[in-house]
Amino acid sequence: MIRLRPFNELGGARHGWLDTKHHFSFANYYDPERLHWGELRVWNDDTIAPQTGFPPHSHRDMEIITYVREGAITHQDSLGNKGRTEAGDVQVMSAGTGITHSEYNLEETETRIFQIWIIPNATGLPPTWGSKPFPKGDRAGGFVTLASGDPAEDGALPIQADARVVAATLNDGQEAVYELAPGRKAYLVPAQGRVRVNGVLAEAGDGLAIDDETRLTVSAEADSEVVLVDVV
């Protein structure tokens, strides 16, 4: 089954420096029907104004994946990590026992990100942070794993969850297939473009909540970029 969550029906808020949309209940947006999707707890679509961002704040016991759609985000945390992640690239933070970090758009243009939170396998794990470039050309026409809880997936950023974050870039008319193991769920959002997933149309920013499907055929009806989370 595939359920469409149109972008214009998502929760969200405008804070001047931040325009945010929430696929699931978050902050002041609450919908009892959209608390989570399996172990996927948060999917926020954030547009951050130039020279602004999230000041230092703390997290614990959550896997936080940031997918940069446009611009760049600069991270700094209480572990001493600092890094700038550009469009198309990914950073992951395992909050574990606790971490304080800031996220700023230090660019001259808007930055757009997906921020994805996944419930970890266990609480009280050591906090970590990492980032990695994932050139869009390397995932042209098919899915590439960006982050995974499976240590056997070489090249993916590690997370402490039974989950996988994948992405694909498709030209108009291309198809990509993703195999979903029985009993698992997926949530897919086009970062840009327009796709059909097993016949269900999704425009940029729409969410597709997927379960009881084992083979997903993603057909691009425009040049598209899609991000998918595979969870229990």
Side-chain angles (χ1 to χ4, degrees), residues 84-97:
R84 177 177 176 274
T85 305
E86 300 182 349
D89 299 342
V90 179
Q91 66 174 19
V92 300
M93 186 172 72
S94 294
T97 54

PDB file of all heavy atoms in Angstrom, residues 84-97:
ATOM      1  N   ARG A  84      31.415  21.297   6.707  1.00  0.00           N
ATOM      2  CA  ARG A  84      30.484  21.947   5.779  1.00  0.00           C
ATOM      3  C   ARG A  84      30.022  20.898   4.777  1.00  0.00           C
ATOM      4  O   ARG A  84      30.844  20.271   4.096  1.00  0.00           O
ATOM      5  CB  ARG A  84      31.165  23.114   5.067  1.00  0.00           C
ATOM      6  CG  ARG A  84      30.307  23.833   4.028  1.00  0.00           C
ATOM      7  CD  ARG A  84      31.100  25.014   3.448  1.00  0.00           C
ATOM      8  NE  ARG A  84      30.378  25.698   2.384  1.00  0.00           N
ATOM      9  CZ  ARG A  84      30.389  25.334   1.103  1.00  0.00           C
ATOM     10  NH1 ARG A  84      31.104  24.263   0.720  1.00  0.00           N
ATOM     11  NH2 ARG A  84      29.691  26.006   0.201  1.00  0.00           N
ATOM     12  N   THR A  85      28.709  20.687   4.682  1.00  0.00           N
ATOM     13  CA  THR A  85      28.131  19.671   3.811  1.00  0.00           C
ATOM     14  C   THR A  85      27.360  20.364   2.702  1.00  0.00           C
ATOM     15  O   THR A  85      26.475  21.174   2.965  1.00  0.00           O
ATOM     16  CB  THR A  85      27.215  18.730   4.612  1.00  0.00           C
ATOM     17  OG1 THR A  85      27.947  18.176   5.713  1.00  0.00           O
ATOM     18  CG2 THR A  85      26.710  17.596   3.744  1.00  0.00           C
ATOM     19  N   GLU A  86      27.707  20.055   1.448  1.00  0.00           N
ATOM     20  CA  GLU A  86      27.149  20.740   0.288  1.00  0.00           C
ATOM     21  C   GLU A  86      25.993  19.973  -0.322  1.00  0.00           C
ATOM     22  O   GLU A  86      25.720  18.832   0.024  1.00  0.00           O
ATOM     23  CB  GLU A  86      28.252  20.936  -0.760  1.00  0.00           C
ATOM     24  CG  GLU A  86      29.429  21.766  -0.286  1.00  0.00           C
ATOM     25  CD  GLU A  86      30.463  21.965  -1.374  1.00  0.00           C
ATOM     26  OE1 GLU A  86      30.366  21.276  -2.425  1.00  0.00           O
ATOM     27  OE2 GLU A  86      31.362  22.795  -1.190  1.00  0.00           O
ATOM     28  N   ALA A  87      25.321  20.613  -1.278  1.00  0.00           N
ATOM     29  CA  ALA A  87      24.159  20.033  -1.954  1.00  0.00           C
ATOM     30  C   ALA A  87      24.494  18.664  -2.535  1.00  0.00           C
ATOM     31  O   ALA A  87      25.520  18.480  -3.184  1.00  0.00           O
ATOM     32  CB  ALA A  87      23.669  20.965  -3.040  1.00  0.00           C
ATOM     33  N   GLY A  88      23.598  17.705  -2.256  1.00  0.00           N
ATOM     34  CA  GLY A  88      23.764  16.342  -2.735  1.00  0.00           C
ATOM     35  C   GLY A  88      24.514  15.447  -1.770  1.00  0.00           C
ATOM     36  O   GLY A  88      24.515  14.233  -1.919  1.00  0.00           O
ATOM     37  N   ASP A  89      25.152  16.068  -0.762  1.00  0.00           N
ATOM     38  CA  ASP A  89      25.931  15.302   0.200  1.00  0.00           C
ATOM     39  C   ASP A  89      25.133  15.091   1.488  1.00  0.00           C
ATOM     40  O   ASP A  89      24.050  15.640   1.658  1.00  0.00           O
ATOM     41  CB  ASP A  89      27.249  16.016   0.488  1.00  0.00           C
ATOM     42  CG  ASP A  89      28.107  16.163  -0.762  1.00  0.00           C
ATOM     43  OD1 ASP A  89      27.859  15.433  -1.744  1.00  0.00           O
ATOM     44  OD2 ASP A  89      29.010  17.018  -0.765  1.00  0.00           O
ATOM     45  N   VAL A  90      25.695  14.309   2.394  1.00  0.00           N
ATOM     46  CA  VAL A  90      24.948  13.843   3.560  1.00  0.00           C
ATOM     47  C   VAL A  90      25.823  13.939   4.800  1.00  0.00           C
ATOM     48  O   VAL A  90      27.030  13.716   4.745  1.00  0.00           O
ATOM     49  CB  VAL A  90      24.505  12.376   3.361  1.00  0.00           C
ATOM     50  CG1 VAL A  90      23.755  11.854   4.572  1.00  0.00           C
ATOM     51  CG2 VAL A  90      23.642  12.245   2.114  1.00  0.00           C
ATOM     52  N   GLN A  91      25.192  14.282   5.930  1.00  0.00           N
ATOM     53  CA  GLN A  91      25.858  14.138   7.220  1.00  0.00           C
ATOM     54  C   GLN A  91      24.956  13.331   8.141  1.00  0.00           C
ATOM     55  O   GLN A  91      23.728  13.354   8.012  1.00  0.00           O
ATOM     56  CB  GLN A  91      26.200  15.487   7.839  1.00  0.00           C
ATOM     57  CG  GLN A  91      25.019  16.321   8.242  1.00  0.00           C
ATOM     58  CD  GLN A  91      25.429  17.599   8.986  1.00  0.00           C
ATOM     59  OE1 GLN A  91      26.564  18.048   8.911  1.00  0.00           O
ATOM     60  NE2 GLN A  91      24.488  18.173   9.689  1.00  0.00           N
ATOM     61  N   VAL A  92      25.580  12.606   9.061  1.00  0.00           N
ATOM     62  CA  VAL A  92      24.821  11.816  10.030  1.00  0.00           C
ATOM     63  C   VAL A  92      25.344  12.105  11.429  1.00  0.00           C
ATOM     64  O   VAL A  92      26.539  12.325  11.625  1.00  0.00           O
ATOM     65  CB  VAL A  92      24.892  10.296   9.739  1.00  0.00           C
ATOM     66  CG1 VAL A  92      24.325   9.970   8.381  1.00  0.00           C
ATOM     67  CG2 VAL A  92      26.303   9.772   9.864  1.00  0.00           C
ATOM     68  N   MET A  93      24.444  12.109  12.384  1.00  0.00           N
ATOM     69  CA  MET A  93      24.811  12.314  13.774  1.00  0.00           C
ATOM     70  C   MET A  93      24.074  11.284  14.621  1.00  0.00           C
ATOM     71  O   MET A  93      22.840  11.242  14.607  1.00  0.00           O
ATOM     72  CB  MET A  93      24.458  13.731  14.220  1.00  0.00           C
ATOM     73  CG  MET A  93      24.940  14.074  15.616  1.00  0.00           C
ATOM     74  SD  MET A  93      24.700  15.821  16.014  1.00  0.00           S
ATOM     75  CE  MET A  93      22.900  15.854  16.192  1.00  0.00           C
ATOM     76  N   SER A  94      24.834  10.457  15.321  1.00  0.00           N
ATOM     77  CA  SER A  94      24.253   9.553  16.308  1.00  0.00           C
ATOM     78  C   SER A  94      24.313  10.274  17.644  1.00  0.00           C
ATOM     79  O   SER A  94      25.397  10.449  18.216  1.00  0.00           O
ATOM     80  CB  SER A  94      25.040   8.239  16.369  1.00  0.00           C
ATOM     81  OG  SER A  94      24.918   7.520  15.161  1.00  0.00           O
ATOM     82  N   ALA A  95      23.164  10.716  18.136  1.00  0.00           N
ATOM     83  CA  ALA A  95      23.162  11.560  19.328  1.00  0.00           C
ATOM     84  C   ALA A  95      23.527  10.783  20.586  1.00  0.00           C
ATOM     85  O   ALA A  95      24.116  11.334  21.521  1.00  0.00           O
ATOM     86  CB  ALA A  95      21.797  12.225  19.492  1.00  0.00           C
ATOM     87  N   GLY A  96      23.168   9.498  20.636  1.00  0.00           N
ATOM     88  CA  GLY A  96      23.588   8.639  21.726  1.00  0.00           C
ATOM     89  C   GLY A  96      23.320   9.228  23.099  1.00  0.00           C
ATOM     90  O   GLY A  96      22.229   9.722  23.389  1.00  0.00           O
ATOM     91  N   THR A  97      24.338   9.200  23.949  1.00  0.00           N
ATOM     92  CA  THR A  97      24.198   9.669  25.329  1.00  0.00           C
ATOM     93  C   THR A  97      24.040  11.177  25.433  1.00  0.00           C
ATOM     94  O   THR A  97      23.736  11.692  26.502  1.00  0.00           O
ATOM     95  CB  THR A  97      25.408   9.246  26.166  1.00  0.00           C
ATOM     96  OG1 THR A  97      26.610   9.692  25.512  1.00  0.00           O
ATOM     97  CG2 THR A  97      25.455   7.737  26.341  1.00  0.00           C
TER      98      THR A  97
END
